Amino acid sequence: MSWIILIIAGLFEVGFTTCLKLSNNFSNLKWSIAFFICITLSFILLNKASQSLPMGTAYAVWTGIGAVGTVIIGIVYFNEPATFWRIFFICTLIGSIAGLKFFASH
């Protein structure tokens, strides 16, 4: 269950980074409120997951999900570049996250 909570926390991290961009330096009230809701939920869930997972693993997976998700959102919705090297290193990061999950249970 802790891994599911951690994944949801990572998705809320993607939410708060996306809302941060859409808030336009906190000048858009709707996206600013969404940012604060997402960041609060993300940290609460990260805290919950790290109670039963190794702290370093939980934090690395949480930030990895956030980084990968944010890059994907940037490419798909904000027309950021999808160069070979950018995609390569995102895939490397995904492999690292999977490795942490696999080896955390051994």
Side-chain angles (χ1 to χ4, degrees):
M1 188 66 172
S2 296
W3 284 102
I4 293 168
I5 292 170
L6 184 59
I7 290 167
I8 295 168
L11 295 174
F12 275 113
E13 185 184 4
V14 175
F16 81 70
T17 56
T18 304
C19 291
L20 183 62
K21 179 167 181 68
L22 294 170
S23 76
N24 195 26
N25 202 25
F26 298 109
S27 64
N28 183 311
L29 183 61
K30 175 180 78 170
W31 289 112
S32 298
I33 291 169
F35 165 82
F36 287 109
I37 291 169
C38 285
I39 199 168
T40 301
L41 290 172
S42 184
F43 278 108
I44 288 170
L45 293 170
L46 173 61
N47 180 57
K48 179 73 175 160
S50 66
Q51 291 174 3
S52 58
L53 295 172
M55 181 179 62
T57 300
Y59 181 73
V61 170
W62 177 74
T63 58
I65 291 169
V68 169
T70 301
V71 168
I72 291 169
I73 293 293
I75 290 169
V76 173
Y77 292 105
F78 298 114
N79 297 318
E80 293 179 359
T83 63
F84 169 80
W85 288 112
R86 194 165 192 215
I87 300 301
F88 173 81
F89 285 114
I90 288 298
C91 290
T92 303
L93 184 55
I94 292 168
S96 298
I97 293 166
L100 283 171
K101 197 251 183 255
F102 176 75
F103 288 107
S105 61
H106 289 88

